[in-house]
Amino acid sequence: MSSVDFWGKKFHVVTYGCQMNVHESEKIRGLLYNLGMIESNDIEDADVVVFNTCCIREGAEDRAYNNIMALKKVKQADKSKIIVVCGCMPQQKNGKYNLKTKLPFVDIIIGTHNINMLDKYLLKFDETHKRIIDIMETPVASMDNVKSVRDDKTNAYVNIIYGCDKFCTYCIVPYVRGREKSRPVKEIYDEVKDLVQNQGYKFITLLGQNVNSYGKDLEEKMTFSTLLNQLCTIEGDFKIKFMTSHPMDFSDDLINVMKTQPKVAKALHLPVQSGSSKVLARMNRHYDIKHYMRIIKKVKHAIPNISLSTDIIVGFPGETERDFNQTMKLIKRVKYDQIFAFMYSKRTGTPAAEFLDQIDERTKSIRVNKLLRQQKLIQKDQVKKYFNRTYNCLIKQINGVAVGITDGGKEIYIPTYRYNNQNYFADIKVEDVRNHKLSGVIVR
């Protein structure tokens, strides 16, 4: 087997799902570049097409399946094209059997635990021309040592923990990603230091299904807040973001780190999933709304300028109109800067898929649209809070105009400032709020 046969060939990677998958695809691109391949923006022109899939919701799975099927005729016309399907879809229960029969033209099918071996599978297929289907139950090795090829030159994703031990009744993640496994502190520290000091990244986003669980499984016990404190000792002009946090493991220590460490972004994504404690109990979320709201109140008190976002599942089995109205009440109380709302989607192999009191699609659609309309009204009102406040922002250029990016991703235009081709952090005072557009001046 030799990589010579791939030298100069073109590849195209299609990604579905969360930031974890996006970062995984950055690693996949690194593996393919190491084979001497060239990236192509044209999927039909590529010699190797990789679909990095997601199965967290039915919609994501259907989109992936339909887009893979669209390549069937292209493959029939050019049998030398290699098609790869990897990630969560093959890893789920019966996933490999479904894909094996439904997608016979796909050459390589692998799961989440052996994506790091994709280059070896390509070399093997090139030598044997025999279809490869290999789904492993446990990880063979991590991809942490694989060099990422990133498009974003400002923000870099860094995994700190893999898998999840929470087993929410609706969630497929523990079944396709495995149990929680933390990366060693030194590995994370060295990677972040290199990204900041050698590659010039300004935002580092720490990733995990539940970052608050970080360190519990390490031989030398470590907390997430302690890790953040250590990363803040790295010299350089940068900020640290993180996602996703689980309310059950959210600590006062973490709030204190967010408040006191200038390098920790003043933004928090804290999924609530439902405003009903009854629904949360059926979801196996391990907290109720009183617990969640105590966290929100503490965070807002400690960090008045905090940017808050959340995830919400609408139409979970057994959700009554009263339960849904409690969710509506919650978003009005918290006043999130952003919400990500989804209709509940059955996932084979999860307990909730077997619940008998499933909600019909029409009711779910009505509820989610009502929730999103309410959130638009909240955001329209929320934009007023920015007026006359000062935010530490990353200064960059967007479409020829100088813009400050807040920790929560909000854009503040700086009409009087001439951009000097250098990204850096500065304090911006918002002087005008008009038509959802913010503008201000650099004060220091």
Side-chain angles (χ1 to χ4, degrees):
M1 295 185 288
S2 171
S3 61
V4 172
D5 293 333
F6 286 94
W7 196 267
K9 287 190 175 182
K10 299 175 184 176
F11 73 87
H12 184 87
V13 179
V14 184
T15 308
Y16 302 91
C18 65
Q19 289 83 357
M20 298 278 282
N21 280 32
V22 171
H23 185 41
E24 226 161 40
S25 288
E26 292 174 343
K27 300 282 190 178
I28 289 170
R29 293 167 71 198
L31 289 172
L32 300 182
Y33 272 114
N34 284 341
L35 287 178
M37 300 187 71
I38 302 167
E39 191 162 14
S40 172
N41 291 324
D42 186 348
I43 191 170
E44 294 190 13
D45 182 52
D47 301 291
V48 175
V49 180
V50 181
F51 291 92
N52 187 16
T53 62
C54 171
C55 64
I56 195 74
R57 280 174 288 276
E58 188 176 13
E61 196 167 353
D62 288 344
R63 282 194 300 276
Y65 179 77
N66 291 335
N67 288 337
I68 298 166
M69 280 299 297
L71 277 190
K72 184 176 181 179
K73 290 183 178 179
V74 178
K75 173 71 173 181
Q76 289 172 340
D78 180 7
K79 289 185 169 49
S80 67
K81 185 184 292 287
I82 301 175
I83 301 177
V84 180
V85 174
C86 63
C88 295
M89 278 176 60
Q91 193 70 44
Q92 65 184 321
K93 186 179 180 181
N94 299 323
K96 75 173 181 179
Y97 302 108
N98 293 335
L99 296 177
K100 178 181 179 181
T101 54
K102 291 180 180 178
L103 304 171
F105 57 92
V106 172
D107 303 295
I108 301 173
I109 299 175
I110 56 178
T112 58
H113 296 321
N114 50 342
I115 289 180
N116 62 300
M117 296 170 59
L118 176 57
D119 52 346
K120 296 178 178 62
Y121 289 120
L122 285 169
L123 293 172
K124 183 177 179 181
F125 180 81
D126 187 58
E127 180 184 54
T128 65
H129 297 287
K130 290 183 179 179
R131 194 180 193 198
I132 297 172
I133 301 176
D134 194 7
I135 311 299
M136 297 184 176
E137 295 303 315
T138 56
V140 290
S142 74
M143 293 184 75
D144 295 326
N145 293 324
V146 177
K147 184 180 179 181
S148 300
V149 176
R150 298 175 168 93
D151 284 329
D152 193 332
K153 301 305 178 187
T154 302
N155 176 73
Y157 293 124
V158 175
N159 276 112
I160 66 167
I161 184 171
Y162 298 94
C164 185
D165 289 352
K166 286 293 185 280
F167 287 91
C168 300
T169 55
Y170 57 83
C171 187
I172 197 75
V173 168
Y175 306 98
V176 297
R177 291 285 178 180
R179 305 300 294 268
E180 290 174 353
K181 183 173 176 56
S182 303
R183 287 182 68 191
V185 177
K186 188 176 187 308
E187 274 189 22
I188 299 168
Y189 184 93
D190 289 345
E191 183 176 353
V192 173
K193 184 178 180 181
D194 177 65
L195 288 165
V196 170
Q197 296 184 354
N198 299 327
Q199 300 184 49
Y201 280 93
K202 295 299 183 181
F203 280 115
I204 303 296
T205 302
L206 307 179
L207 296 179
Q209 301 298 339
N210 177 14
V211 292
N212 305 129
S213 285
Y214 176 79
K216 293 179 180 179
D217 59 315
L218 293 175
E219 191 172 328
E220 292 186 20
K221 294 294 183 285
M222 167 74 63
T223 65
F224 180 53
S225 55
T226 303
L227 173 68
L228 285 176
N229 275 323
Q230 290 197 16
L231 295 179
C232 287
T233 65
I234 295 171
E235 293 185 6
D237 187 28
F238 72 101
K239 286 191 181 182
I240 302 170
K241 297 182 177 184
F242 54 86
M243 62 188 322
T244 295
S245 288
H246 194 292
M248 186 58 195
D249 300 318
F250 200 89
S251 69
D252 290 346
D253 284 345
L254 180 53
I255 295 174
N256 188 55
V257 171
M258 294 180 70
K259 176 184 177 180
T260 59
Q261 287 285 10
K263 287 180 178 176
V264 176
K266 309 311 179 224
L268 175 63
H269 184 70
L270 192 65
V272 65
Q273 304 303 1
S274 174
S276 163
S277 292
K278 184 197 81 178
V279 172
L280 290 175
R282 292 198 84 197
M283 288 179 167
N284 195 36
R285 290 290 288 173
H286 305 285
Y287 59 85
D288 60 15
I289 288 303
K290 286 184 179 179
H291 177 92
Y292 185 89
M293 285 307 302
R294 278 197 296 271
I295 296 172
I296 294 296
K297 287 177 182 177
K298 285 180 182 179
V299 169
K300 284 188 171 185
H301 177 74
I303 314 163
N305 277 10
I306 191 77
S307 174
L308 291 171
S309 59
T310 196
D311 294 337
I312 294 174
I313 296 174
V314 175
F316 186 77
E319 181 190 70
T320 63
E321 197 65 29
R322 182 174 183 273
D323 294 323
F324 173 69
N325 286 334
Q326 287 176 334
T327 301
M328 291 285 287
K329 182 181 177 182
L330 176 83
I331 68 168
K332 292 175 185 177
R333 287 177 66 193
V334 177
K335 291 182 168 54
Y336 294 103
D337 293 271
Q338 191 172 15
I339 68 169
F340 300 89
F342 309 94
M343 295 190 297
Y344 167 74
S345 178
K346 268 188 183 183
R347 298 288 78 197
T348 302
T350 62
E354 304 302 321
F355 291 172
L356 298 179
D357 47 358
Q358 302 288 327
I359 307 297
D360 64 272
E361 294 301 311
R362 182 174 180 274
T363 299
K364 287 192 282 189
S365 179
I366 290 172
R367 288 177 182 173
V368 77
N369 284 313
K370 185 177 180 181
L371 188 76
L372 292 172
R373 284 196 298 272
Q374 181 60 51
Q375 178 60 21
K376 278 188 177 181
L377 294 176
I378 292 170
Q379 286 178 314
K380 186 176 181 180
D381 186 62
Q382 277 288 87
V383 77
K384 298 173 187 175
K385 76 176 184 180
Y386 288 88
F387 180 69
N388 218 28
R389 284 188 176 184
T390 299
Y391 294 86
N392 188 249
C393 301
L394 177 67
I395 311 300
K396 61 188 299 186
Q397 190 177 52
I398 299 178
N399 298 325
V401 180
V403 177
I405 310 296
T406 70
D407 291 350
K410 198 76 175 174
E411 296 178 357
I412 305 175
Y413 290 85
I414 319 169
T416 60
Y417 179 74
R418 179 170 291 182
Y419 183 72
N420 62 1
N421 293 320
Q422 289 185 339
N423 296 337
Y424 65 97
F425 289 97
D427 289 342
I428 300 178
K429 184 178 181 182
V430 178
E431 294 190 332
D432 189 40
V433 177
R434 195 176 304 171
N435 298 324
H436 301 288
K437 184 177 178 180
L438 307 179
S439 61
V441 295
I442 295 177
V443 291
R444 64 177 180 274

